[in-house]
Amino acid sequence: MAEPHKQEEHFDVLTKTGEKTGLSKSRGDVHRDGDYHRAVHVWIFAESTQELLLQLRADCKDSWAGLWDISSAGHISAGDSSLETARRELQEELGVILPKDAFELIFIFLHETSTNGGQFINNEFEDVYLVTTLDPIPLEAFTLQESEVSAVKYIHYLEYKNLLANEDPEYVPYDVNAQQYGQLFDIIARRYKVDNVARSLSLQKQLQRYASVSLNVELTGLSDADKGALDLLIKAAAIMDEIFNLQVWYSNPYLRDWLEKHAAASQLDKLKWAYYLINKTPWSCLDENEAYLTTADSAIKLLPEATRRVSGWKGLEYKAAFPSQKPPGANFYPPDMDKMEFTQWKDSLPEDQQNIVAGFFSVIKRHSESNSDSSSPGSINHLEGPKYDLYNVPFSQEYNSFLSKAAELLRKAGDRTSSPSLRRLLHSKADAFLSNDYYESDIAWMELDSKLDVTIGPYETYEDTLFGYKATFEAFIGIRDDKGTAQVLEQNLPMDDAYKSKDVSAAPIRVVQLLYNAGDVKGPQTVAFNLPNDERIVKDRGTSMVMLKNVSEAKFKHILQPIADVCITNEQREFVDFDSFFTHTICHECCHGIGPHSITLPNGKKSTVRLELQELHSALEEAKADIVGLWALRFLTLQGLLPGASLKSVYATFLVGCFRSVRFGLLEAHGKGQALQFNWLYEKEAFVLNPDETFSVNFDKVEDAVESLSREILTIQARGDKESAKLLLQKYGVMSEPLKLALHNLEQIQVPVDIAPEFPVANGILGKKQF
């Protein structure tokens, strides 16, 4: 009887840029046709000895037999993920079982070769992972796959680099040029040859960009019942920090706990912790998300069962890894998922399910990862299509352990408060945390009429730079200032009437003294927010906004006024005032709620601006709110609705604000949006650079320039025109020479970039010490 034919391994066929095409082909056909495909390389590095683990390829291998090579490697089969392939190859070849947070993707290398007279073409994207162990793994702890590996050994990384550079015949060849495989050695060298004194000075300089401000809010206006509720609300808000830590990156919670535990070990460790408290991640918000920490700084985790047991050895200790490049999809999507894979999966689903997977309140996972982690995807409310590895998990299940605690606290706080509207909000928000349906709680938030002002839940989508779909958790607790206003500007917007909304609602404004914030409040602090972002509610009920008055006052005093002293010409410096800054912020938030949201595309399909513009939406929306807010101030002033307002003060203060926001960096939505506005207005000669390197407003040209940019952005949004949005941001959302000059001058006198708030009231409730 003939033996059954062994099915040949299939690979996913990729584009030349490394994205999945949706096609798969057999291994032989891929190499015959020169199709792009993907493989993994895994290096095990022992930190204490600076050694890399090498494996000796088995003599029976069809390539490079009997030569020393990478710790572990293998092709990614069709439908499999990169990270799970890396984990599987390490287990199969060496008998090492590690969780995903042990694997650090350090670079992707495109290897293009042709052998056998052009009969074997290898166009391979190689995902290079680094596993950092504290000490070398005892050689007897490995379980070698005889068909693949004959032996293993450790070698110092510099000795190994030298052997490769000299093309030693006992080693599989790799190009150690810095632009090729030499990246591995350069990364290790940079990571461990660090001057701690210089590093401490660098962190001190980064910290000095934030002015520490204590926001000590009086509670005298609160009833005793609301004071009792406040304690519970602060504790519920603190849980938003725990969820946000996990939303940023899956090993981020371990990093946070490790840095806090070791903060007193040295001056450098104290600085690491202090800067982490501001950024809440290992990536610096004000430095285009450049990593200020490496995996070498991260938590050490012990796995006694990761390998074969060895007498006298406690087990494998590794560093919980995070990538040097901030992941565009944060922890909302599998780290190796690309946009094409998600889009093809989403498009395979029914329309109602498409809306859910592209919605605010879920994470996307892989079946393959769930199976390898021994979790049961069958018990999860997942949406899937045939052939696809992806599935959807609602926040209510993904973060259930946190949300259950927060819901209990909110319900108890609602029971205590004397305000009916606050009670309704807290009870409905508690229900939403467990049901994943936030519609009713968002309506209750909009109708809140309480001295104690509360915003808590998943709202902003800035962390999801892959699509801009997924919301992060945040909380703002404050005392109402009882001053506010509302305006409807929609029907006068500078855009064609065909695009204007007919049923937009007024946006009530709540002015608040902030006493605590948590969750997605890292880096530069918000001075206001306009919510909800749910397009259904925006369409049905409009939006509401919250103005953080004490935060705005602190920013004006510590940042805007010093910027004006450096960057604005003497003749116009007197026009810069707090009222203009605060009023423009109100208009900015108001203008988030007007203009295009739910739209009809040219082909007649109903959609939203967010879904069409995807990762470009946040930056363009911030620019829209800013520039249309500036247009709105002129409109309201001319209508006599802002008595005493000075348009010269409005424009001069806006110019100062440009320099403030651009300093957040062009990877941040507000910073990129502000660069777009400044450069447009500068090109139109509305902003002028003077010979003494100060700037001024050309009051004769600024109004037309503001209106023209407002029209441009609003029209792009109304059409859902992603290509035009891309071109606009590429041309104007850049660090131009005038901006560079202004930022250089501010750097010379070290004007703070933003504030780092301290919350004495909340810290007393939480038992936190001031750092």
Side-chain angles (χ1 to χ4, degrees), residues 508-615:
I509 300 171
R510 308 205 294 257
V511 179
V512 168
Q513 300 290 340
L514 181 68
L515 60 83
Y516 184 58
N517 65 13
D520 188 3
V521 291
K522 61 184 177 60
Q525 298 292 299
T526 186
V527 295
F529 47 88
N530 185 78
L531 298 173
N533 289 322
D534 188 331
E535 289 91 353
R536 299 172 303 165
I537 299 177
V538 174
K539 180 180 179 181
D540 295 344
R541 300 288 297 271
T543 58
S544 293
M545 66 187 72
V546 174
M547 313 296 302
L548 306 178
K549 184 93 177 274
N550 51 351
V551 177
S552 297
E553 289 170 338
K555 290 202 180 201
F556 187 83
K557 175 183 176 182
H558 293 281
I559 301 165
L560 266 84
Q561 199 65 67
I563 290 176
D565 292 341
V566 174
C567 294
I568 304 301
T569 186
N570 284 328
E571 292 76 14
Q572 295 189 5
R573 204 170 296 162
E574 63 180 303
F575 296 134
V576 178
D577 60 28
F578 174 75
D579 286 343
S580 296
F581 171 59
F582 193 64
T583 308
H584 176 256
T585 304
I586 292 175
C587 282
H588 170 107
E589 296 304 330
C590 181
C591 289
H592 274 309
I594 64 175
H597 286 276
S598 297
I599 58 176
T600 302
L601 301 178
N603 62 7
K605 179 183 176 182
K606 300 293 184 181
S607 187
T608 67
V609 179
R610 181 177 66 89
L611 288 175
E612 296 305 315
L613 298 191
Q614 297 183 345
E615 75 279 7

Side-chain angles (χ1 to χ4, degrees), residues 233 236-245 247 280 395 403 406 410 429 433 438 442 445 454-463 471-477 514 516-522 524-526 528-533 546 548 589 670:
L233 289 172
I239 295 174
M240 301 303 104
D241 263 338
E242 302 298 322
I243 301 175
F244 178 67
N245 283 338
Q247 289 184 304
K280 298 191 176 186
F395 282 175
L403 291 174
L410 292 182
K429 188 67 70 173
F433 281 171
Y438 287 88
D442 280 345
W445 178 82
V454 179
T455 302
I456 186 168
Y459 287 108
E460 305 294 0
T461 61
Y462 300 125
E463 287 297 306
T472 48
F473 281 82
E474 62 186 5
F476 295 86
I477 313 296
L514 181 68
Y516 184 58
N517 65 13
D520 188 3
V521 291
K522 61 184 177 60
Q525 298 292 299
T526 186
F529 47 88
N530 185 78
L531 298 173
N533 289 322
V546 174
L548 306 178
E589 296 304 330
H670 299 79

Side-chain angles (χ1 to χ4, degrees), residues 659 678-679 682 689 693 695 735-745:
F659 302 128
F678 175 89
N679 290 325
Y682 185 82
L689 174 59
E693 297 187 351
F695 292 82
M735 193 62 70
S736 60
E737 290 305 317
L739 284 175
K740 290 178 182 178
L741 174 63
L743 300 196
H744 172 75
N745 290 339

Side-chain angles (χ1 to χ4, degrees), residues 614-648:
Q614 297 183 345
E615 75 279 7
L616 305 180
H617 173 257
S618 290
L620 202 67
E621 175 61 23
E622 292 304 328
K624 181 264 278 190
D626 246 0
I627 200 68
V628 177
L630 190 58
W631 167 87
L633 277 176
R634 175 178 177 269
F635 174 82
L636 295 172
T637 300
L638 295 179
Q639 293 292 313
L641 298 174
L642 291 176
S646 162
L647 285 177
K648 288 186 176 181

Side-chain angles (χ1 to χ4, degrees), residues 252-459:
N252 194 42
Y254 298 112
L255 173 64
R256 185 198 184 284
D257 293 345
W258 180 264
L259 293 174
E260 182 179 22
K261 181 180 179 181
H262 293 83
S266 69
Q267 177 64 15
L268 178 57
D269 288 305
K270 180 180 180 181
L271 292 168
K272 289 179 190 176
W273 174 234
Y275 202 50
Y276 180 90
L277 284 175
I278 288 174
N279 292 279
K280 298 191 176 186
T281 77
W283 304 288
S284 177
C285 297
L286 296 181
D287 299 294
E288 309 290 357
N289 288 324
E290 179 183 347
Y292 62 93
L293 300 172
T294 71
T295 295
D297 300 303
S298 195
I300 298 173
K301 300 178 71 176
L302 172 64
L303 285 179
E305 307 294 334
T307 65
R308 177 190 295 164
R309 284 186 172 274
V310 174
S311 178
W313 182 55
K314 64 180 179 180
L316 186 152
E317 290 181 291
Y318 74 93
K319 292 291 186 73
F322 54 85
S324 59
Q325 299 295 318
K326 186 177 181 183
N331 196 22
F332 294 121
Y333 310 92
D336 55 355
M337 185 203 81
D338 60 42
K339 297 185 71 170
M340 186 176 294
E341 180 184 7
F342 176 87
T343 301
Q344 290 174 343
W345 167 62
K346 178 177 73 71
D347 291 347
S348 75
L349 301 172
E351 185 174 351
D352 61 330
Q353 295 184 9
Q354 291 184 33
N355 293 334
I356 293 174
V357 302
F360 294 108
F361 311 126
S362 68
V363 298
I364 308 302
K365 292 194 167 187
R366 291 193 182 281
H367 289 297
S368 54
E369 289 186 15
S370 297
N371 294 335
S372 66
D373 287 334
S374 300
S375 58
S376 175
S379 65
I380 296 174
N381 175 25
H382 61 273
L383 305 169
E384 57 184 304
K387 305 185 298 179
Y388 294 101
D389 192 29
L390 303 176
Y391 67 95
N392 186 79
V393 184
F395 282 175
S396 56
Q397 295 187 39
E398 179 70 4
Y399 310 122
N400 180 262
S401 61
F402 299 113
L403 291 174
S404 296
K405 295 177 184 177
E408 182 181 358
L409 290 165
L410 292 182
R411 189 162 293 282
K412 288 180 178 178
D415 292 340
R416 288 192 184 184
T417 181
S418 57
S419 166
S421 66
L422 181 57
R423 182 181 305 112
R424 176 192 170 206
L425 168 64
L426 299 180
H427 285 174
S428 62
K429 188 67 70 173
D431 293 341
F433 281 171
L434 302 181
S435 69
N436 218 53
D437 184 353
Y438 287 88
Y439 189 93
E440 291 302 325
S441 67
D442 280 345
I443 296 295
W445 178 82
M446 294 179 68
E447 296 176 352
L448 179 62
D449 183 17
S450 166
K451 186 70 175 178
L452 186 55
D453 200 272
V454 179
T455 302
I456 186 168
Y459 287 108

Side-chain angles (χ1 to χ4, degrees), residues 54-205:
L54 302 186
Q55 67 162 260
L56 185 64
R57 295 172 66 86
D59 290 334
C60 60
K61 296 288 290 182
D62 58 5
S63 61
W64 311 113
L67 299 186
W68 291 100
D69 197 8
I70 298 162
S71 305
S72 177
H75 284 101
I76 301 175
S77 298
D80 286 354
S81 74
S82 171
L83 182 56
E84 291 312 303
T85 299
R87 295 176 67 186
R88 184 180 63 246
E89 291 294 331
L90 201 58
Q91 180 178 355
E92 291 178 353
E93 294 184 358
L94 303 181
V96 179
I97 305 172
L98 293 175
K100 65 181 182 179
D101 71 347
F103 294 80
E104 177 187 359
L105 181 63
I106 53 176
F107 61 90
I108 297 173
F109 172 57
L110 177 56
H111 193 195
E112 297 174 298
T113 60
S114 177
T115 57
N116 298 337
Q119 298 300 306
F120 186 90
I121 306 171
N122 189 36
N123 291 325
E124 186 172 274
F125 286 93
E126 294 163 353
D127 295 349
V128 182
Y129 290 92
L130 186 67
V131 172
T132 302
T133 64
L134 206 59
D135 299 306
I137 302 170
L139 298 186
E140 58 269 33
F142 294 103
T143 302
L144 306 184
Q145 185 179 17
E146 293 182 1
S147 61
E148 298 283 339
V149 186
S150 298
V152 290
K153 71 175 181 179
Y154 275 99
I155 184 172
H156 195 280
Y157 80 96
L158 290 177
E159 180 183 353
Y160 179 52
K161 179 181 181 182
N162 187 56
L163 290 167
L164 292 179
N166 291 325
E167 301 181 359
D168 190 294
E170 295 186 10
Y171 295 82
V172 174
Y174 292 99
D175 187 344
V176 295
N177 182 285
Q179 301 302 316
Q180 303 293 322
Y181 220 101
Q183 294 176 81
L184 169 68
F185 306 101
D186 292 344
I187 287 169
I188 293 174
R190 288 196 305 270
R191 186 165 293 182
Y192 293 98
K193 291 185 178 180
V194 176
D195 182 341
N196 284 341
V197 174
R199 192 174 180 198
S200 293
L201 291 173
S202 177
L203 281 170
Q204 285 176 341
K205 186 176 180 181

